[in-house]
Amino acid sequence: MAKLHILRYPDPRLHTVAKPVKEVDAHIQQLVDDMIETMHAADGLGLAATQVDVHERVIVIDTSDMRDDPRVLINPELVFKSEEMSFSDEGCLSVPQIFDKVKRHARVKVRALNRAGETYEFEAEGLLSVCVQHEMDHLLGKVFVEYLSSLKRDRIKTKMIKKTRDELRA
Ligand code: NI
């Protein structure tokens, strides 16, 4: 396994729209394993392939308490979205140390392929529902800060550019 580099906002590659996976082969399984390692190492709840500059529809999520139960979502689709919406604080490994409230569907039902390439479905609410919607946005080239006001977004952009520059200097 290998840890992958996570793109940081406002890297334009984060706005790439991912393509469906044609076949869950050894190459995709390796990507999945590397993404899980990268997510756990960065202490994230989820990671989309877009964030590691691979533009295929692959997501990993781990909202388990022990951080030992990763879910793999390949070619995910929402087969149900509740009309009820809810607000919660979101963060993102591509936008470190920034948290803000985003409105999402309170409950969703997801259909995806797992690491073995088998179709499965699950219903999600609460944190898992938020994670699924957040990560699926990444596959469409959308970062959560795009739900915020342009004023806030510009501030975050400036902060991230400065942070990246400071780290390169250090
Ligand atoms: Ni994210």
Side-chain angles (χ1 to χ4, degrees):
M1 300 222 279
K3 241 175 24 170
L4 306 169
H5 174 72
I6 300 175
L7 300 178
R8 183 176 289 172
Y9 184 78
D11 191 309
R13 290 171 288 182
L14 286 168
H15 303 303
T16 312
V17 177
K19 292 189 177 67
V21 170
K22 287 204 186 95
E23 194 194 343
V24 182
D25 54 13
H27 172 77
I28 291 293
Q29 288 172 335
Q30 182 65 53
L31 170 66
V32 162
D33 294 345
D34 290 346
M35 284 173 62
I36 290 171
E37 184 182 352
T38 304
M39 169 180 68
H40 282 152
D43 209 17
L45 298 172
L47 187 68
T50 311
Q51 293 176 273
V52 293
D53 202 22
V54 175
H55 302 289
E56 302 200 55
R57 293 184 59 82
V58 177
I59 288 170
V60 296
I61 291 176
D62 192 346
T63 54
S64 67
D65 289 340
M66 302 299 291
R67 327 256 324 128
D68 59 356
D69 188 18
R71 274 166 204 266
V72 176
L73 287 73
I74 298 168
N75 296 345
E77 37 178 334
L78 294 182
V79 293
F80 168 78
K81 302 180 255 198
S82 67
E83 274 177 39
E84 188 196 334
M85 306 295 280
S86 63
F87 276 96
S88 53
D89 267 331
E90 293 188 22
C92 180
L93 292 176
S94 293
V95 199
Q97 287 150 32
I98 301 289
F99 300 90
D100 215 321
K101 286 221 175 335
V102 177
K103 190 178 174 186
R104 303 278 187 187
H105 299 284
R107 292 176 310 283
V108 293
K109 187 171 179 183
V110 192
R111 182 181 298 150
L113 302 176
N114 63 18
R115 192 184 175 282
E118 301 153 347
T119 302
Y120 73 112
E121 290 187 352
F122 63 97
E123 285 174 30
E125 59 179 355
L127 183 60
L128 181 58
S129 171
V130 171
C131 279
V132 165
Q133 293 171 76
H134 175 116
E135 301 309 333
M136 284 183 71
D137 270 354
H138 275 303
L139 300 180
L140 297 173
K142 189 163 183 177
V143 180
F144 85 100
V145 297
E146 290 169 65
Y147 289 101
L148 309 178
S149 69
S150 58
L151 182 70
K152 270 190 183 174
R153 199 165 53 239
D154 285 346
R155 275 199 204 132
I156 291 168
K157 232 179 240 180
T158 307
K159 203 182 256 185
M160 288 300 123
I161 291 167
K162 184 176 183 304
K163 186 176 164 63
T164 304
R165 202 175 46 214
D166 290 350
E167 283 171 7
L168 287 174
R169 235 181 242 155

XYZ file of all heavy atoms in Angstrom, residues 48-122:
603
model
N -12.360 11.038 -1.671
C -12.780 10.744 -3.038
C -11.532 10.702 -3.919
O -10.550 11.416 -3.661
C -13.737 11.832 -3.529
N -11.573 9.865 -4.949
C -10.408 9.707 -5.836
C -9.965 11.057 -6.416
O -8.764 11.299 -6.582
C -10.736 8.718 -6.955
N -10.932 11.928 -6.668
C -10.644 13.272 -7.178
C -9.572 13.961 -6.335
O -8.702 14.660 -6.859
C -11.936 14.132 -7.117
O -12.999 13.380 -7.696
C -11.764 15.466 -7.810
N -9.651 13.743 -5.013
C -8.735 14.424 -4.089
C -7.300 13.913 -4.193
O -6.383 14.571 -3.713
C -9.221 14.255 -2.639
C -10.521 14.976 -2.366
C -10.985 14.692 -0.953
O -11.666 13.711 -0.709
N -10.614 15.548 -0.018
N -7.127 12.721 -4.777
C -5.766 12.223 -4.991
C -5.431 12.251 -6.483
O -4.565 11.525 -6.963
C -5.562 10.820 -4.369
C -5.643 10.916 -2.840
C -6.568 9.801 -4.887
N -6.160 13.123 -7.199
C -5.901 13.397 -8.611
C -6.112 12.178 -9.515
O -5.437 12.015 -10.529
C -4.477 13.960 -8.781
C -4.319 14.747 -10.075
O -5.343 15.211 -10.632
O -3.156 14.906 -10.538
N -7.055 11.315 -9.119
C -7.464 10.201 -9.981
C -8.935 10.456 -10.284
O -9.749 10.564 -9.375
C -7.301 8.840 -9.271
C -7.856 7.719 -10.154
C -5.839 8.582 -8.929
N -9.272 10.586 -11.572
C -10.607 11.082 -11.887
C -11.549 9.967 -12.348
O -12.058 9.952 -13.449
C -10.490 12.283 -12.824
C -9.652 13.341 -12.162
N -10.108 14.076 -11.090
C -8.351 13.663 -12.312
C -9.133 14.853 -10.638
N -8.054 14.617 -11.359
N -11.722 9.022 -11.402
C -12.652 7.913 -11.579
C -13.571 7.890 -10.360
O -13.191 8.349 -9.271
C -11.884 6.598 -11.677
C -10.894 6.642 -12.846
C -10.471 5.268 -13.302
O -11.368 4.461 -13.616
O -9.262 5.010 -13.336
N -14.782 7.338 -10.542
C -15.795 7.432 -9.477
C -15.544 6.405 -8.363
O -16.181 5.352 -8.315
C -17.211 7.292 -10.078
C -17.561 8.496 -10.974
C -18.980 8.440 -11.516
N -19.998 8.388 -10.503
C -20.481 9.441 -9.837
N -20.017 10.654 -10.070
N -21.432 9.278 -8.936
N -14.613 6.751 -7.494
C -14.245 5.887 -6.362
C -14.211 6.730 -5.090
O -13.631 7.821 -5.068
C -12.859 5.242 -6.580
C -12.463 4.402 -5.368
C -12.833 4.398 -7.849
N -14.860 6.205 -4.037
C -14.917 6.884 -2.742
C -14.614 5.871 -1.646
O -15.042 4.716 -1.739
C -16.342 7.455 -2.508
C -16.611 8.666 -3.399
C -16.571 7.814 -1.040
C -18.074 9.112 -3.378
N -13.922 6.303 -0.605
C -13.829 5.491 0.616
C -14.331 6.350 1.776
O -14.122 7.568 1.795
C -12.398 4.966 0.879
C -11.968 4.019 -0.238
C -11.381 6.103 1.021
N -15.031 5.705 2.708
C -15.599 6.401 3.863
C -15.389 5.513 5.089
O -15.560 4.288 5.000
C -17.120 6.642 3.666
C -17.372 7.683 2.559
C -17.783 7.097 4.971
C -18.845 7.919 2.241
N -15.010 6.114 6.199
C -14.953 5.345 7.445
C -15.440 6.223 8.597
O -14.705 7.081 9.084
C -13.535 4.835 7.718
C -13.521 3.789 8.833
O -14.545 3.668 9.541
O -12.509 3.100 8.986
N -16.692 6.007 8.985
C -17.258 6.779 10.093
C -17.337 5.911 11.354
O -17.994 6.283 12.315
C -18.670 7.301 9.735
O -19.481 6.195 9.334
C -18.637 8.310 8.614
N -16.672 4.761 11.333
C -16.732 3.869 12.505
C -15.927 4.459 13.663
O -14.940 5.168 13.454
C -16.188 2.483 12.142
O -14.806 2.556 11.864
N -16.366 4.149 14.888
C -15.696 4.682 16.083
C -14.233 4.263 16.144
O -13.366 5.051 16.512
C -16.402 4.173 17.357
C -17.772 4.821 17.529
O -17.992 5.890 16.910
O -18.610 4.264 18.252
N -13.969 3.016 15.780
C -12.601 2.507 15.889
C -11.776 2.770 14.624
O -10.611 2.401 14.573
C -12.622 0.993 16.180
C -13.369 0.603 17.444
S -12.654 1.334 18.934
C -11.110 0.436 19.027
N -12.393 3.392 13.619
C -11.710 3.691 12.366
C -11.112 2.425 11.764
O -9.972 2.403 11.324
C -10.591 4.727 12.583
C -10.892 5.749 13.656
C -11.273 7.110 13.153
N -10.536 7.437 11.962
C -11.113 7.838 10.855
N -12.391 7.985 10.791
N -10.400 8.115 9.797
N -11.929 1.381 11.776
C -11.429 0.110 11.253
C -12.480 -0.568 10.367
O -12.472 -1.766 10.180
C -11.046 -0.820 12.421
C -12.239 -1.092 13.356
O -13.326 -0.504 13.128
O -12.075 -1.866 14.310
N -13.430 0.226 9.859
C -14.504 -0.362 9.067
C -14.781 0.480 7.824
O -15.846 1.068 7.675
C -15.763 -0.477 9.944
C -16.861 -1.272 9.246
O -16.549 -2.005 8.281
O -18.033 -1.147 9.655
N -13.786 0.554 6.929
C -13.961 1.407 5.750
C -14.994 0.856 4.770
O -15.098 -0.354 4.584
C -12.568 1.425 5.116
C -11.882 0.203 5.611
C -12.461 -0.086 6.963
N -15.767 1.747 4.205
C -16.714 1.409 3.146
C -16.127 1.854 1.828
O -15.527 2.927 1.751
C -17.985 2.245 3.289
C -19.004 1.721 4.188
C -20.003 2.854 4.438
N -20.658 2.599 5.702
C -21.824 1.952 5.807
N -22.470 1.566 4.740
N -22.341 1.720 6.975
N -16.386 1.069 0.789
C -15.893 1.386 -0.549
C -17.098 1.632 -1.440
O -18.009 0.807 -1.491
C -15.044 0.217 -1.092
C -14.605 0.481 -2.517
C -13.841 -0.032 -0.177
N -17.127 2.771 -2.104
C -18.233 3.119 -2.998
C -17.671 3.403 -4.384
O -17.039 4.434 -4.603
C -18.968 4.371 -2.508
C -19.869 4.299 -1.276
C -19.065 4.178 0.004
C -20.734 5.547 -1.203
N -17.896 2.473 -5.283
C -17.451 2.650 -6.665
C -18.694 2.902 -7.513
O -19.710 2.211 -7.352
C -16.677 1.399 -7.140
C -15.421 1.206 -6.267
C -16.311 1.513 -8.619
C -14.735 -0.135 -6.441
N -18.614 3.908 -8.388
C -19.771 4.333 -9.205
C -21.030 4.550 -8.357
O -22.109 4.037 -8.691
C -20.072 3.309 -10.316
C -18.950 3.189 -11.315
O -18.043 4.038 -11.372
N -18.981 2.155 -12.132
N -20.931 5.297 -7.266
C -22.089 5.455 -6.387
C -23.207 6.268 -7.030
O -22.941 7.172 -7.815
C -21.509 6.225 -5.186
C -20.387 7.024 -5.773
C -19.791 6.117 -6.834
N -24.437 5.930 -6.705
C -25.572 6.761 -7.097
C -26.551 6.832 -5.937
O -26.681 5.890 -5.166
C -26.257 6.243 -8.370
C -26.316 4.756 -8.470
C -27.049 4.267 -9.713
O -27.916 4.987 -10.240
O -26.772 3.146 -10.132
N -27.226 7.972 -5.842
C -28.246 8.131 -4.811
C -29.562 7.656 -5.397
O -30.046 8.221 -6.361
C -28.357 9.596 -4.372
C -27.137 10.186 -3.648
C -27.416 11.627 -3.233
C -26.739 9.345 -2.442
N -30.135 6.613 -4.808
C -31.425 6.122 -5.291
C -32.576 6.726 -4.497
O -33.732 6.568 -4.846
C -31.494 4.574 -5.312
C -30.526 4.018 -6.346
C -31.192 3.983 -3.948
N -32.248 7.385 -3.405
C -33.260 8.110 -2.623
C -32.593 9.275 -1.890
O -31.466 9.142 -1.402
C -33.917 7.175 -1.593
C -34.758 7.905 -0.580
C -36.037 8.360 -0.895
C -34.252 8.185 0.696
C -36.802 9.062 0.035
C -35.013 8.883 1.631
C -36.288 9.324 1.294
N -33.282 10.416 -1.881
C -32.841 11.580 -1.097
C -34.062 12.088 -0.340
O -35.103 12.325 -0.967
C -32.375 12.723 -2.006
C -31.254 12.388 -2.948
C -30.890 13.596 -3.801
C -31.415 13.431 -5.213
N -30.783 14.322 -6.199
N -33.962 12.244 0.960
C -35.111 12.739 1.717
C -35.370 14.200 1.364
O -34.437 14.945 1.034
C -34.854 12.622 3.220
O -33.820 13.493 3.615
N -36.642 14.580 1.426
C -36.951 15.994 1.237
C -36.449 16.797 2.412
O -36.059 17.954 2.275
C -38.462 16.179 1.093
C -38.917 16.001 -0.340
C -40.422 16.117 -0.487
O -41.007 16.991 0.195
O -40.990 15.336 -1.256
N -36.473 16.133 3.558
C -35.984 16.802 4.774
C -34.495 17.090 4.628
O -33.729 16.235 4.168
C -36.220 15.880 5.972
C -35.927 16.529 7.305
C -35.788 15.502 8.427
O -36.380 14.408 8.317
O -35.077 15.805 9.390
N -34.115 18.297 5.003
C -32.709 18.693 4.905
C -32.170 18.886 6.320
O -32.933 19.090 7.262
C -32.581 20.006 4.133
C -33.229 20.013 2.757
S -32.487 18.886 1.551
C -31.061 19.836 1.034
N -30.846 18.828 6.461
C -30.281 19.167 7.766
C -28.933 19.854 7.580
O -28.266 19.676 6.560
C -30.171 17.935 8.649
O -29.284 17.028 8.070
N -28.586 20.651 8.569
C -27.324 21.397 8.544
C -26.330 20.713 9.459
O -26.682 20.337 10.573
C -27.539 22.810 9.108
C -28.055 23.790 8.114
C -29.406 24.070 8.023
C -27.167 24.469 7.281
C -29.886 25.011 7.120
C -27.632 25.413 6.370
C -28.996 25.681 6.287
N -25.095 20.564 8.997
C -24.069 20.143 9.959
C -22.709 20.688 9.534
O -22.515 21.074 8.372
C -24.043 18.635 10.120
O -23.916 18.040 8.863
N -21.800 20.705 10.478
C -20.451 21.206 10.213
C -19.701 20.201 9.355
O -19.710 19.018 9.634
C -19.695 21.392 11.536
C -19.841 22.805 12.059
O -19.997 23.732 11.244
O -19.800 22.987 13.290
N -19.066 20.705 8.309
C -18.253 19.833 7.466
C -16.828 20.333 7.406
O -16.569 21.528 7.555
C -18.829 19.785 6.035
C -20.173 19.103 5.993
C -20.687 18.850 4.584
O -19.894 18.806 3.628
O -21.915 18.686 4.469
N -15.938 19.392 7.193
C -14.542 19.709 6.946
C -14.105 18.849 5.784
O -14.889 18.044 5.280
N -12.865 19.015 5.349
C -12.411 18.279 4.164
C -10.894 18.184 4.202
O -10.230 19.178 4.523
C -12.860 19.034 2.913
S -12.371 18.254 1.371
N -10.363 17.018 3.857
C -8.901 16.861 3.853
C -8.236 17.781 2.825
O -7.060 18.084 2.945
C -8.521 15.402 3.573
C -8.894 14.400 4.682
C -8.550 12.976 4.241
C -8.189 14.744 5.991
N -8.998 18.241 1.845
C -8.440 19.167 0.850
C -8.541 20.624 1.290
O -8.024 21.517 0.607
C -9.160 18.998 -0.494
O -8.873 17.732 -1.047
N -9.221 20.854 2.416
C -9.362 22.214 2.952
C -9.067 22.148 4.453
O -9.961 22.378 5.271
C -10.779 22.788 2.712
C -10.780 24.315 2.839
C -11.343 22.392 1.361
N -7.826 21.806 4.830
C -7.540 21.494 6.232
C -7.875 22.633 7.191
O -7.644 23.807 6.883
C -6.041 21.168 6.245
C -5.511 21.654 4.942
C -6.646 21.657 3.984
N -8.407 22.235 8.345
C -8.695 23.126 9.457
C -9.803 24.142 9.205
O -9.942 25.118 9.931
C -7.420 23.836 9.930
C -6.494 22.887 10.692
C -5.038 23.240 10.553
O -4.705 24.412 10.422
N -4.191 22.242 10.564
N -10.592 23.913 8.167
C -11.743 24.784 7.913
C -13.008 23.946 8.121
O -13.119 22.844 7.585
C -11.729 25.324 6.460
C -10.445 26.116 6.183
C -12.988 26.132 6.161
C -10.356 27.458 6.877
N -13.921 24.473 8.925
C -15.180 23.774 9.174
C -16.307 24.789 9.037
O -16.204 25.909 9.526
C -15.196 23.166 10.588
C -14.077 22.174 10.788
C -12.839 22.588 11.264
C -14.249 20.839 10.456
C -11.784 21.681 11.409
C -13.210 19.925 10.600
C -11.974 20.351 11.083
N -17.363 24.383 8.338
C -18.506 25.286 8.249
C -19.771 24.493 7.966
O -19.704 23.345 7.524
C -18.270 26.345 7.166
C -18.881 27.692 7.561
O -19.994 27.706 8.140
O -18.255 28.725 7.290
N -20.902 25.141 8.218
C -22.188 24.463 8.094
C -22.630 24.361 6.638
O -22.572 25.334 5.889
C -23.255 25.248 8.871
C -23.135 25.090 10.370
C -24.498 24.942 11.013
C -24.423 24.655 12.497
N -23.220 24.029 12.985
N -23.089 23.159 6.275
C -23.602 22.916 4.935
C -24.952 22.202 5.073
O -25.149 21.386 5.972
C -22.618 22.051 4.107
C -23.184 21.728 2.734
C -21.263 22.747 3.964
N -25.868 22.543 4.158
C -27.200 21.939 4.158
C -27.193 20.726 3.220
O -26.773 20.839 2.060
C -28.187 22.988 3.644
C -29.643 22.659 3.788
C -30.422 23.860 3.246
C -31.904 23.632 3.185
N -32.543 24.787 2.510
N -27.663 19.602 3.738
C -27.685 18.354 2.951
C -29.011 17.644 3.162
O -29.708 17.903 4.141
C -26.584 17.406 3.438
C -25.176 17.939 3.410
C -24.576 17.830 2.041
N -23.157 18.181 2.039
C -22.439 18.298 0.934
N -22.987 18.094 -0.254
N -21.169 18.631 1.003
N -29.299 16.677 2.300
C -30.441 15.793 2.547
C -30.186 15.041 3.848
O -29.084 14.525 4.062
C -30.603 14.797 1.399
C -30.862 15.470 0.089
N -32.081 16.013 -0.232
C -30.039 15.735 -0.946
C -31.999 16.569 -1.428
N -30.782 16.424 -1.884
N -31.225 14.973 4.695
C -31.045 14.331 6.004
C -30.760 12.831 5.847
O -29.956 12.272 6.573
C -32.283 14.558 6.859
N -31.443 12.197 4.878
C -31.251 10.762 4.667
C -31.093 10.470 3.175
O -31.758 11.104 2.341
C -32.460 9.965 5.200
C -32.619 9.999 6.712
C -33.881 9.274 7.169
N -35.065 9.694 6.439
C -35.714 10.834 6.660
N -35.303 11.669 7.599
N -36.768 11.166 5.957
N -30.254 9.515 2.875
C -30.088 9.102 1.478
C -29.997 7.580 1.416
O -29.685 6.920 2.404
C -28.809 9.702 0.828
C -28.916 11.208 0.687
C -27.547 9.324 1.603
N -30.288 7.056 0.232
C -30.047 5.635 -0.009
C -29.074 5.566 -1.183
O -29.261 6.251 -2.198
C -31.361 4.926 -0.342
C -31.203 3.423 -0.431
C -32.562 2.746 -0.550
C -32.389 1.242 -0.657
N -33.676 0.569 -0.856
N -28.056 4.765 -1.020
C -26.955 4.724 -1.986
C -26.860 3.350 -2.627
O -27.022 2.336 -1.943
C -25.600 4.980 -1.266
C -24.503 5.244 -2.286
C -25.715 6.113 -0.276
N -26.583 3.340 -3.901
C -26.250 2.085 -4.588
C -24.837 2.254 -5.152
O -24.539 3.284 -5.762
C -27.239 1.815 -5.722
C -26.966 0.488 -6.452
C -27.955 0.290 -7.583
N -29.325 0.223 -7.073
C -30.400 0.631 -7.768
N -30.263 1.146 -8.978
N -31.602 0.534 -7.246
N -24.000 1.265 -4.938
C -22.610 1.366 -5.402
C -22.047 -0.033 -5.602
O -22.698 -1.036 -5.277
C -21.776 2.119 -4.364
N -20.846 -0.083 -6.126
C -20.112 -1.348 -6.190
C -19.128 -1.365 -5.033
O -18.583 -0.313 -4.660
C -19.327 -1.449 -7.505
C -20.121 -1.357 -8.809
C -19.165 -1.375 -10.007
C -21.125 -2.510 -8.905
N -18.885 -2.536 -4.462
C -17.881 -2.640 -3.410
C -16.514 -2.991 -4.019
O -16.366 -3.046 -5.248
C -18.323 -3.655 -2.336
C -18.456 -5.063 -2.897
O -17.926 -5.374 -3.971
N -19.167 -5.911 -2.179
N -15.539 -3.277 -3.166
C -14.167 -3.554 -3.626
C -14.096 -4.809 -4.500
O -13.181 -4.965 -5.316
C -13.261 -3.699 -2.401
C -11.776 -3.704 -2.727
C -10.943 -3.953 -1.480
N -9.526 -4.067 -1.802
C -8.955 -5.137 -2.325
N -9.678 -6.207 -2.597
N -7.659 -5.134 -2.589
N -15.080 -5.692 -4.313
C -15.115 -6.919 -5.120
C -15.895 -6.717 -6.428
O -16.041 -7.636 -7.223
C -15.735 -8.044 -4.301
N -16.420 -5.502 -6.615
C -17.157 -5.214 -7.839
C -18.618 -5.632 -7.783
O -19.298 -5.691 -8.802
N -19.109 -5.953 -6.574
C -20.506 -6.358 -6.406
C -21.376 -5.154 -6.055
O -20.963 -4.298 -5.265
C -20.630 -7.375 -5.258
C -19.818 -8.631 -5.466
C -19.415 -9.296 -4.153
O -19.549 -8.678 -3.074
O -18.929 -10.437 -4.231
N -22.599 -5.132 -6.604
C -23.539 -4.051 -6.297
C -24.107 -4.248 -4.900
O -24.447 -5.358 -4.521
C -24.696 -4.061 -7.316
O -24.131 -3.920 -8.627
C -25.657 -2.902 -7.071
N -24.189 -3.167 -4.144
C -24.846 -3.225 -2.843
C -25.528 -1.892 -2.590
O -25.262 -0.898 -3.295
C -23.861 -3.585 -1.723
C -22.893 -2.477 -1.328
C -22.984 -1.862 -0.075
C -21.897 -2.046 -2.188
C -22.107 -0.859 0.308
C -21.008 -1.041 -1.822
C -21.119 -0.451 -0.571
O -20.255 0.550 -0.199
N -26.425 -1.876 -1.620
C -27.147 -0.648 -1.271
C -27.119 -0.458 0.225
O -27.044 -1.432 0.975
C -28.615 -0.751 -1.708
C -28.805 -0.727 -3.212
C -30.277 -0.664 -3.620
O -31.174 -0.791 -2.740
O -30.526 -0.500 -4.805
N -27.184 0.771 0.644
C -27.348 1.040 2.079
C -28.035 2.378 2.272
O -27.996 3.241 1.399
C -26.012 1.001 2.834
C -25.011 2.048 2.414
C -24.891 3.245 3.129
C -24.179 1.842 1.331
C -23.962 4.210 2.753
C -23.241 2.805 0.940
C -23.130 3.990 1.657
